[in-house]
């Protein structure tokens, strides 16, 4: 699969015919946020918002990665997931 941009990769995820696992989705989220916004500098969600906390943590695991590296890893992950979910 030849994906050149993050936009192409995002468009491909919208064509998946099956849903990736929660772990895969969180990794996609973390890499996407790192690629588009850089390091997570936000406040950790509080209370019982487990979904927001999981997303926050997924992004935090990518901290320190350059936007370029995160973009390439995101594109590679989408290409790998496409084999299972298209």
């Amino acid at each position: 699969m030849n994906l050149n941009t993050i936009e192409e990769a995002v468009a491909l995820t919208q064509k998946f015919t099956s849903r990736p696992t929660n772990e895969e989705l969180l990794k996609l989220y973390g890499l996407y946020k790192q690629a588009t916004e850089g390091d997570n500098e936000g406040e950790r969600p509080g209370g019982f918002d487990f979904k927001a906390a999981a997303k926050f943590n997924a992004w935090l695991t990518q901290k320190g990665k350059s936007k370029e590296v995160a973009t390439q890893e995101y594109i590679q992950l989408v290409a790998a997931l496409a084999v299972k979910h298209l």
Side-chain angles (χ1 to χ4, degrees):
M1 179 130 329
N2 191 13
L3 301 169
N4 297 313
T5 66
I6 198 163
E7 292 81 10
E8 290 175 2
V10 169
L12 183 60
T13 64
Q14 294 169 354
K15 295 178 183 177
F16 285 0
T17 56
S18 62
R19 187 177 187 275
T21 66
N22 286 341
E23 183 178 302
E24 292 167 337
L25 290 170
L26 286 170
K27 184 156 188 177
L28 283 170
Y29 177 83
L31 286 169
Y32 178 82
K33 293 295 274 185
Q34 189 69 21
T36 58
E37 297 184 32
D39 287 344
N40 184 348
E41 303 293 343
E43 299 261 331
R44 182 176 299 279
F48 293 98
D49 193 347
F50 300 116
K51 184 176 179 181
K55 291 169 87 174
F56 180 91
N57 291 335
W59 184 6
L60 201 58
T61 64
Q62 304 303 325
K63 187 172 186 161
K65 251 179 215 172
S66 71
K67 288 183 177 185
E68 293 77 19
V69 169
T71 298
Q72 285 309 309
E73 288 184 16
Y74 179 86
I75 290 169
Q76 290 169 356
L77 179 57
V78 169
L81 292 176
V83 173
K84 293 193 307 190
H85 299 289
L86 276 179

